[in-house]
Amino acid sequence: MESSKTDVLEKKVNALISVVKQILDENAYLKDLSVGTLETIKLMNSYEEAIEKLKEKLAKESSEDKEVNTSGETFE
C-alpha cells in the first residue's frame, strides 16, 4: 500500500516538474519574442514620434488623476 502511494506521489511530482519546465520554456520564448518585437519597432521611422506622443498622453493622464484625487471624489 505504501509503495503505491509513493509511486503515485512520484508520478505527480514528475508531472509537476514537467509542467514547470514547459512554463519556463514558454516564458523564455515570450521574452525573446517581446525583445525582438521592441527592437523591430525601434527601427521604424516614426518610433521617436510615437514615444513622444505616449509621454504626452501619460503626463496628461497623470495630471488628470491628480486632479481627481485632490478633489476628494472616489470612483468605483
Side-chain angles (χ1 to χ4, degrees):
M1 181 83 174
E2 286 298 317
S3 177
S4 68
K5 283 185 179 181
T6 305
D7 290 342
V8 169
L9 288 175
E10 187 176 343
K11 287 179 183 178
K12 287 182 179 182
V13 167
N14 287 334
L16 288 172
I17 289 170
S18 175
V19 168
V20 169
K21 284 181 181 179
Q22 183 178 358
I23 290 171
L24 290 172
D25 289 344
E26 289 178 11
N27 191 35
Y29 171 77
L30 289 174
K31 177 186 170 224
D32 292 343
L33 179 65
S34 61
V35 168
T37 302
L38 176 62
E39 293 302 318
T40 301
I41 291 172
K42 284 182 180 180
L43 296 174
M44 294 180 174
N45 293 334
S46 58
Y47 174 76
E48 291 296 328
E49 180 183 341
I51 292 296
E52 289 304 317
K53 285 182 181 180
L54 283 172
K55 286 179 183 178
E56 291 171 7
K57 180 181 176 185
L58 288 173
K60 180 181 175 185
E61 288 175 357
S62 177
S63 65
E64 288 175 357
D65 287 345
K66 287 180 182 176
E67 289 175 12
V68 170
N69 289 337
T70 57
S71 68
E73 296 179 31
T74 58
F75 298 99
E76 293 183 23

